[in-house]
């Protein structure tokens, strides 16, 4: 069943796990804001400070950009009403090389503290094909399977075919995706399919605009109306939790 905006509160406590500042806003700002408006707890985790996210490293060397993006994310989350945030200590562009056990252990600790009903993150494709996104997806799934509360749901960001078709030319011009991405899903697979109403879309754009180093030029180039339409949809598919295998069965499999 697809969750409409009116039922976002039914997702309970939400934990979002993302790779870089602005991932959370592009993929789930509307969902987070709607949940907070309904009184739900929303917690955000960001793996890196996004210190290499610039075409102008002369103006924005990594340390300076990391500091600015840290401030920008705080302003973004404030617009959405999200007051709980955790940083992971990883470097932008290096997540695929991080020891998996370390990252999963850190996320397990967060999940155990938050006890989320719903975890949001990337799908295995990472939406854009970015290796950091894909690594964060894998870490989150592993931590979720290990310690998430019974009944919790893992929702992974996804783009339906019609959205990708609508924006294909613009996405190509902007170089949003690595070759072969995005991997589209049929609309009927979405368990969350949000078409943001004007007030929520405007709030999402304000949150994104707070991350000025990443969005100011794009908003200016596209114009506010087109940019708002471009970011005005959010979708998630559900990743089924794998069945628990009894320890005795695991032992037998290992000796067979």
């Amino acid at each position: 069943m697809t969750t409409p905006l009116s039922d976002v509160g039914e997702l309970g406590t939400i934990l979002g796990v993302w790779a870089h500042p602005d991932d959370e806003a592009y993929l789930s700002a509307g969902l987070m804001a709607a949940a907070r408006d309904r009184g739900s707890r929303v917690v955000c985790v960001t793996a890196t400070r996004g210190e290499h996210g610039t075409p102008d490293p002369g103006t924005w060397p990594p340390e300076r950009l990391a500091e600015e993006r840290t401030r920008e994310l705080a302003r973004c989350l404030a617009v959405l009403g999200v007051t709980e945030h955790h940083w992971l200590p990883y470097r932008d562009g290096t997540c695929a090389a991080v020891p998996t056990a370390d990252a999963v252990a850190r996320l397990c600790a967060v999940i155990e503290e938050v006890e989320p009903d719903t975890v949001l993150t990337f799908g295995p494709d990472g939406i854009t094909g970015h290796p950091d996104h894909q690594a964060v997806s894998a870490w989150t799934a592993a931590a979720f399977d290990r310690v998430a509360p019974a009944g919790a749901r893992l929702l992974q960001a996804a783009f339906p075919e019609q959205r990708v078709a609508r924006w294909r030319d613009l996405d190509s011009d902007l170089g949003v995706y690595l070759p072969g991405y995005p991997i589209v899903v049929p609309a009927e697979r979405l368990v969350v399919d949000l078409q943001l109403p004007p007030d929520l879309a405007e709030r999402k754009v304000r949150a994104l605009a707070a991350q000025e180093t990443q969005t100011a030029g794009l908003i200016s180039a596209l114009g506010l109306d087109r940019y708002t339409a471009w970011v005005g949809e959010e979708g998630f598919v559900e990743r089924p939790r794998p069945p628990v295998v009894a320890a005795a069965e695991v032992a037998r499999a290992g000796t067979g």
Side-chain angles (χ1 to χ4, degrees), residues 2 5 8 12 20 64 72 78 80 82 87-88 90 103 112 114 116 127-128 146 169-170 172 184 195 229 240 248 250:
T2 302
L5 269 171
V8 162
H20 316 102
R64 181 180 178 217
E72 289 178 343
L80 303 174
V82 176
W87 291 104
L88 300 185
Y90 304 124
E112 289 178 318
V114 175
I127 291 289
T128 64
R146 187 176 300 176
D169 290 344
L170 176 60
S172 177
V184 300
Q195 313 295 316
V250 174

Side-chain angles (χ1 to χ4, degrees), residues 116-128:
D117 300 293
T118 303
V119 176
L120 308 177
T121 192
F122 308 98
D125 62 308
I127 291 289
T128 64

Side-chain angles (χ1 to χ4, degrees), residues 7-15 31 35-36 38-43 115-119 153:
D7 293 337
V8 162
E10 296 180 5
L11 297 176
T13 295
I14 295 172
L15 172 65
L31 177 56
R36 289 296 294 139
R38 288 158 176 77
S40 298
R41 183 183 183 192
V42 177
V43 184
E115 296 185 333
D117 300 293
T118 303
V119 176
R153 305 172 72 190

Side-chain angles (χ1 to χ4, degrees), residues 70-149:
T70 297
R71 291 188 288 265
E72 289 178 343
L73 180 53
R75 292 193 291 268
C76 167
L77 294 177
V79 171
L80 303 174
V82 176
T83 60
E84 297 182 72
H85 179 261
H86 299 266
W87 291 104
L88 300 185
Y90 304 124
R91 302 285 294 175
D92 187 8
T94 71
C95 291
V98 167
T100 299
D102 178 85
V104 171
R106 292 178 186 275
L107 288 176
C108 282
V110 175
I111 292 172
E112 289 178 318
E113 186 274 314
V114 175
E115 296 185 333
D117 300 293
T118 303
V119 176
L120 308 177
T121 192
F122 308 98
D125 62 308
I127 291 289
T128 64
H130 195 301
D132 282 355
H133 296 186
Q134 294 172 338
V136 168
S137 173
W139 301 343
T140 305
F144 179 91
D145 290 344
R146 187 176 300 176
V147 300

Side-chain angles (χ1 to χ4, degrees), residues 19 23 44 48 54 66-67 70 80 84 159 162 192 204 210 219 254:
D23 294 334
C44 183
T48 81
T54 178
E67 292 173 353
T70 297
L80 303 174
E84 297 182 72
F159 288 164
Q162 62 269 30
V192 174
K204 177 173 182 172
I219 293 171

